[in-house]
Structures are given as structure tokens and as C-alpha cells.
Amino acid sequence: MWCLKLLLPFLLIINEVSCQWNVWVPRDISAMSNTCVVIPCTFMYPSGIRPYRGVHGIWYYGQPYPQLFPPVVFKTRTDVFHESYKGRTKMLGDLQQRNCTLLINNVGPEHSGRYYFRADLGGANVYTFPDFAELKVLEQPNIDVPDEIVSDESLTLTCYAPDNCPDMTPEIQWMYTDYLPDPEFSSDFQEESNTGVLSHTLVFTPRPVHNGQLLGCRVYYPNTSLVYERLISLDIKYAPRSVWVNVSSEVMEGNSVTLHCEVDSNPPPRISWKFGEQELLWDTASNLSLTIDDVTPAEEGVYTCIGDNGYGAMNTSLYLAVKYPPREPVINDSLTVLEGASFTLHCSTQGSPPPTLTWLKDGELVGTITADELSVLEIEGITPQGDGQYRCLAENEHGRASSSLNITVEYAPVLLEESKCTVVREGVQCVCMGMGNPEPTIEFYLPDLNVTVNETEGRYNFYTHTDGQTATGMIKLREKGERAGNGVPAVNVRCKISNMYGSENVPLELQQEKKYLMAVIVGTIGGVAVIAFIIAAVRYVGHNNKKENGLPRQDVVLENPALYYSAVKKDKQNLRKKVLKTELLGSKFNSILEESTGEDGDFQPASSLAGMERRELNYAALDLGGPREGAPGRGDDGGSSYAEIKAK
């Protein structure tokens, strides 16, 4: 307490000193252009000073110090004012009552600035107060706009007009509010530090559609032509409300494609393009385009455009389809299977649009056509006819591709009907033909001699030939002695064909072809016809020559008839050769026949062709156990035997 008692006198002294020279003016005051303004002002001076010849005052503009010669706004002692204030200013306050209120009429923008008051009590009692009132002359009203206007949040806008001119009272109204949703209006008058401000408030809830639209505030003074307006553009912040992208599109492999994205938001968003989780491109803008060059199928998929501006985020996706021809199908490896086996072939590929898959065997359709990227061909109980090349063909509108595999069917050998023994000129020729996989081996068996003839047996004329899975074997036997009742040599030959899966052993039947006789008859008739034609032609030519020369007609005599007969006989022999080859082995075995006959000529049927020269067939090296009774035979001994074919 004693400390407070000591400090109190000092505080009173400080207060007395501070109150000796003091002034009160509003720090800020405003007025509309071409109106008036009243600047309230009161001042104090030390109580011990007695004014000398009254109290006077001066208002300065811009500077408080006379030595800097600031413009004089108003002066009570003289009428010397600055040009811009002549006839405009008036002291409304009573300086004797320490009231220094100033009126300025018809203010303009050039009058904006600081105003200082100087008290003159006479003599040396002159003081310029450092405090000032700053005047703002307005060309348009003020609108209080929040720093941020957010969509769907209530917005309050206030328009202000100064009311500091006693003779003129302003009025305020809002402009362009017809489009606003449920606007609310209210008015108010505020007075602070002896200055008045009239306000008019507008309240509504903005939407994104209101962004960028204009609002206006009008201030006017009734009974005057003074009108002041101010327009503002609404800057409404809102989250992205739409994200537009291309519709899902298609592009051919290897081409380029551009994806566009536009986002409606305020402020502009950060736009990014993403493929899956990978961000490909971004920018802060209202639109962004993504260009993909040399498109590959790996780039097919969902592309997403994302817009985010801090007030919200939104995204839209599209599907980019990459079209391309089928890739080379992936199929099984080539297979080797056993006859009767069942298995499955798979074919898979890729293409866009999905290709159709077709299975072909040796160029022919097998199975069904599949419209998918996988085709399964089921083969049950395969036969040797299933052996071959299988191809999977993939096709779509952009191209085709294929892959092939080989199916090898292995099976036990099968004897062909071409297998038989046939009488030829030198004796008997036996042919054995069979098919199998692996290719079969062929052996001939002579039961009467208990002899097996194959490739390792060199005593017999044994020939073999293979063509793929077909094998052909042939032996040639000479005979003499025993014959059957029809005069045909009796033979007993068996053929055995075998491979790793089985064997077949069958006797070969001896066949006497009547076609040979027919061929000889036809050949003979043909030869005679040819000779007759030649003779007729020669006689006709001779007759014509004789007639032309005027000579008597003479019959033509062939000088060498044997020459013509020889030609006819040669034609008959050639014809007989061709018929024999065709009937015995077919076109495939001609080469073997030609190889086996040598220089002696082709085989001829024995003992059944009338008029043809017979040759004896010698059986040697094979003893059949003595002569048979009643058997007509030719040769040196009465027994029958088999031997290698030899020309006697």
C-alpha cells in the first residue's frame, strides 16, 4: 500500500502534463466523391494558459509543420487558403469551446489524405497536434466480401456507404440478385468515433453455378443525381463436380491414341492420369490430355482421370481396347502314339477381338471351330488313318496365325491284298506287301523245305522296297516237275510281316491271270490289222502312181514281209510286258520289276498261253523228295524242286 501511495502523486503529475496539449480526431473517415464530409475535432490546452485575443486555429493538409509550408485547408485569422479548398471549407466548431470540427464540401479524390489541426492561443502559445484524421474520398461503395466463398455454405455480403454529410443521406440497394436462391436483405447504421456508416447486407447460399456471376451494390442520394455502383464477380470455391473423359475407345496395335480429360471445379484441380496404380501424367489445370504412342496390347485396360482441388476429388475411368491379330498359337509338341490310344490336343493364342480356333488335319477340318482363346481337340481310339499333320489356325478380322504338330500312329502290320504269287515266264514270282509303323520287315517261308527267305539269305532272289509305312518284298522261284490239275505249277509259300507291335503270317495264293491271254489275242488282232492297213496303203499308192504315168496296173509285192511281221511281233511283246507289270504290282512296283528281269526280258505266263513258246523251269538245289506219280513234267528228271532263278 505504501508503494501505491508514493506512486499516485507521480501518476497525477504525468496525467496533468499529458493533458496540457491534446486533440481528438477520427483516425479514418470517408466520404463519397462530390459530397461533403464533417471531420469531428476537440482539443485541450494547459489550464494555466490564458488565450490572448481569443483562440484561433488552422487546418493543414498532408504535413503538421508550418515550416514545411503544407497546404492550408482553413484558417480563422485570415482567408488565405489553398486553391483546392477555397469556398469548400468551414469551421463548424467553436474554438472557444475547444471544438475544432471542420466541414469540407464537394470533396474529390484529390482531397484524400491526412488532416492536422494547429491551435493558436496567441503569443508563443501555438501548438500543432501530431494526431491526424485521414480522409478517404470514395468513387464507389465498399463491399465486404469474405476471403473465401465456398459452395453450399451460407454467404454474407455487406455493402457500405459513408454517412458523414449532414445535408445528404445515402441509400443502398443490391443489384443482379434475381438469380440468387432465397436471398435475404437487411440494413444497419453504425456510428463510431462520431463517424457514420450505412450498411446493407445480403445473405444467400451460393451454388457452383453462381461462380463467376456478377453482383452489384448501388449507393445513391435522393433528390440528387449522385449514383455510385460497384460490381463484384463471385469466386465460389467448389469441389470437382464433373470429370469428362473420352468414351471407351479402340486402337490398333502400333498406332497412337490420345485420352482427354476435363474437370469442372474451382479452383482448377490437380489432374492426373493413372493406369492401374501407376500415375502416368499430372498437371494443375482444367483439362489434361494423355497421348500414348505405338500402343501395345500390354497397354490395354482401364485408364482413370482424377481431379482434386483441395475441396474434394472426383474421378472417371475409360477402357482402352487394343486390337491386334492373333499371336502364333501355342500347341502340344509332336506326338507318337499307339493305335487305339486316346489323347487331347490343346491350342491357345491371344488376339483382339478373340480369334476363332480351327483344327485341320492335312488341310481338312477336324473337330469344331472355337470362338475362344483356347481350343481342345479330343481324339479317342486313334487309327492309322489319324496319322498326319495337325494344324491349329487362329483367325480374327485383323489377321491369322497357325502352328502345326505331327501325330505319328504306330500299329501292328497289316497284309495288303496285293500280296500273291503269279506265274511269270521264268517261273513263279511271289510278292508280299504290308503296312505298319514302325515299317514292318518281310520274310518268305517255304514250308516244304523249311526255309526262311529274308534279307540275310543270299541264295534266293529276294528284293525289298519301302515307301513310308508300306513295305514290299518279292522272291522269284524256278520250277519243273509237279503241276496242278490245270497245268499251273504248284507252290507253297508263306509271307510273314512283323514289327514291334505284332506280326501276320499268311500263305500266298498262286494266281493265273486270264488277262494275259486276252492281251495276246488283242495284240495279235491289232498287229494283223496294222499289216493289212500297211499293205492296203502301199497298193493304193502304187495304183495311183501307175494311173498317173499311164502304165498298166500292177499288184504290189512286199519285198521283205518278215520285216513287217517282226514289227508286229515286237508290238505284241511290249503290250504283254505292260499288262503283266500292271496286274502284278501296280504302278508303285514297276521299278522293282524292271530291276529284277535284267537283260533277258520280262516275265511271261507259262503253260496257259496257246501258241507261245514254252520254256522249261528248272528246279535245282531244292529236293522235294522224289517224283510224284501222274504229274506231267518236263525237264531232265522227274522230281520237283525249288531253286534260285537261273537262266538255262
Side-chain angles (χ1 to χ4, degrees), residues 14 16 52 73 135 171 188 201 233 293 304 395 420 453 480 495:
I14 293 173
E16 180 65 21
Y52 178 72
V73 176
L135 174 63
E171 292 189 9
D188 191 18
T201 301
S233 177
D293 296 320
T304 303
E395 296 179 288
K420 58 190 174 181
V453 181
K480 68 178 182 178
C495 172

Side-chain angles (χ1 to χ4, degrees), residues 47-64:
S47 57
I49 298 177
R50 296 291 183 260
Y52 178 72
R53 296 181 180 180
V55 179
H56 297 275
I58 303 174
W59 280 94
Y60 291 118
Y61 172 79
Q63 293 288 340

Side-chain angles (χ1 to χ4, degrees), residues 174-469:
W174 284 97
M175 303 160 52
Y176 312 120
T177 60
D178 294 341
Y179 62 86
L180 297 180
D182 303 323
E184 298 179 1
F185 302 96
S186 62
S187 298
D188 191 18
F189 178 79
Q190 298 176 355
E191 184 175 5
E192 183 179 354
S193 302
N194 293 325
T195 61
V197 176
L198 184 65
S199 65
H200 199 264
T201 301
L202 167 64
V203 179
F204 70 100
T205 301
R207 300 286 186 263
V209 69
H210 300 138
N211 183 53
Q213 294 190 356
L214 295 177
L215 275 179
C217 175
R218 175 186 287 125
V219 175
Y220 65 95
Y221 290 85
N223 303 320
T224 69
S225 61
L226 300 176
V227 178
Y228 308 90
E229 294 179 352
R230 183 178 180 185
L231 298 178
I232 62 171
S233 177
L234 295 177
D235 183 16
I236 299 174
K237 311 297 184 183
Y238 57 92
R241 61 174 182 166
S242 67
V243 178
W244 177 90
V245 298
N246 311 59
V247 295
S248 295
S249 58
E250 298 179 353
V251 60
M252 192 65 189
E253 179 184 19
N255 291 345
S256 298
V257 65
T258 299
L259 308 181
H260 300 283
C261 178
E262 293 184 7
V263 180
D264 180 11
S265 71
N266 188 35
R270 180 188 186 275
I271 301 179
S272 61
W273 274 106
K274 298 184 73 175
F275 180 58
E277 296 299 323
Q278 180 185 5
E279 185 174 76
L280 305 177
L281 182 67
W282 73 270
D283 192 12
T284 300
S286 59
N287 61 80
L288 183 64
S289 297
L290 172 66
T291 299
I292 306 173
D293 296 320
D294 194 17
V295 178
T296 65
E299 293 170 301
E300 176 173 337
V302 177
Y303 288 79
T304 303
C305 177
I306 303 173
D308 188 347
N309 67 348
Y311 294 92
M314 193 175 193
N315 67 79
T316 299
S317 299
L318 64 85
Y319 189 87
L320 179 64
V322 180
K323 302 300 180 181
Y324 58 97
R327 299 296 188 246
E328 181 179 350
V330 178
I331 60 175
N332 308 62
D333 295 330
S334 294
L335 300 174
T336 298
V337 298
L338 186 62
E339 179 183 11
S342 299
F343 54 92
T344 301
L345 301 180
H346 294 84
C347 175
S348 63
T349 186
Q350 291 182 338
S352 180
T356 59
L357 296 178
T358 306
W359 280 101
L360 303 171
K361 177 188 178 295
D362 298 329
E364 299 294 331
L365 176 67
V366 292
T368 58
I369 299 176
T370 304
D372 199 352
E373 292 186 348
L374 175 65
S375 176
V376 177
L377 178 62
E378 295 183 354
I379 300 177
E380 297 184 357
I382 192 168
T383 65
Q385 289 72 30
D387 188 286
Q389 183 187 73
Y390 288 74
R391 183 164 69 104
C392 178
L393 175 64
E395 296 179 288
N396 67 10
E397 61 191 73
H398 303 296
R400 60 170 54 188
S402 65
S403 295
S404 301
L405 63 92
N406 291 318
I407 300 296
T408 302
V409 181
E410 295 187 342
Y411 56 96
V414 178
L415 189 71
L416 301 181
E417 62 182 6
E418 290 84 356
S419 301
K420 58 190 174 181
C421 291
T422 306
V423 176
V424 294
R425 199 173 76 178
E426 285 84 354
V428 176
Q429 177 176 272
C430 295
V431 177
C432 183
M433 298 182 66
M435 293 184 63
N437 192 18
E439 61 183 33
T441 59
I442 296 179
E443 294 179 338
F444 290 95
Y445 180 61
L446 307 178
D448 296 339
L449 300 178
N450 194 24
V451 173
T452 298
V453 181
N454 52 33
E455 291 182 345
T456 61
E457 178 59 63
R459 294 177 297 169
Y460 299 93
N461 292 334
F462 177 78
Y463 304 91
T464 60
H465 175 73
T466 59
D467 183 8
Q469 299 177 7

Side-chain angles (χ1 to χ4, degrees), residues 442-616:
I442 296 179
E443 294 179 338
F444 290 95
Y445 180 61
L446 307 178
D448 296 339
L449 300 178
N450 194 24
V451 173
T452 298
V453 181
N454 52 33
E455 291 182 345
T456 61
E457 178 59 63
R459 294 177 297 169
Y460 299 93
N461 292 334
F462 177 78
Y463 304 91
T464 60
H465 175 73
T466 59
D467 183 8
Q469 299 177 7
T470 302
T472 304
M474 183 185 71
I475 61 173
K476 292 178 292 182
L477 304 173
R478 297 180 182 272
E479 65 86 21
K480 68 178 182 178
E482 182 179 345
R483 293 179 178 270
N486 58 0
V488 177
V491 295
N492 186 10
V493 179
R494 301 185 68 85
C495 172
K496 179 181 180 182
I497 56 175
S498 61
N499 65 10
M500 61 186 297
Y501 297 111
S503 64
E504 189 171 354
N505 191 331
V506 296
L508 299 180
E509 297 180 358
L510 180 65
Q511 298 184 3
Q512 177 64 32
E513 300 290 351
K514 295 182 179 180
K515 294 181 181 179
Y516 298 121
L517 180 59
M518 181 61 68
V520 173
I521 296 173
V522 171
T524 304
I525 295 173
V528 172
V530 170
I531 294 173
F533 175 77
I534 294 173
I535 295 172
V538 171
R539 297 181 70 178
Y540 176 75
V541 172
H543 175 72
N544 287 344
N545 290 336
K546 181 177 180 181
K547 187 176 183 179
E548 289 177 0
N549 297 329
L551 300 176
R553 179 177 177 273
Q554 296 181 2
D555 293 335
V556 177
V557 179
L558 295 177
E559 295 180 357
N560 192 0
L563 177 64
Y564 295 100
Y565 176 76
S566 177
V568 171
K569 182 178 181 181
K570 186 175 183 180
D571 289 340
K572 290 193 299 180
Q573 291 176 346
N574 290 338
L575 178 61
R576 194 179 307 132
K577 294 176 185 178
K578 293 178 181 178
V579 171
L580 180 60
K581 290 179 182 178
T582 303
E583 294 299 327
L584 285 177
L585 301 176
S587 59
K588 291 185 179 180
F589 208 66
N590 283 341
S591 60
I592 300 177
L593 286 175
E594 293 172 358
E595 221 175 82
S596 62
T597 56
E599 297 178 354
D600 295 336
D602 294 348
F603 300 129
Q604 303 293 335
S607 72
S608 62
L609 301 179
M612 295 184 62
E613 181 182 0
R614 295 177 175 271
R615 296 183 60 186
E616 291 183 348

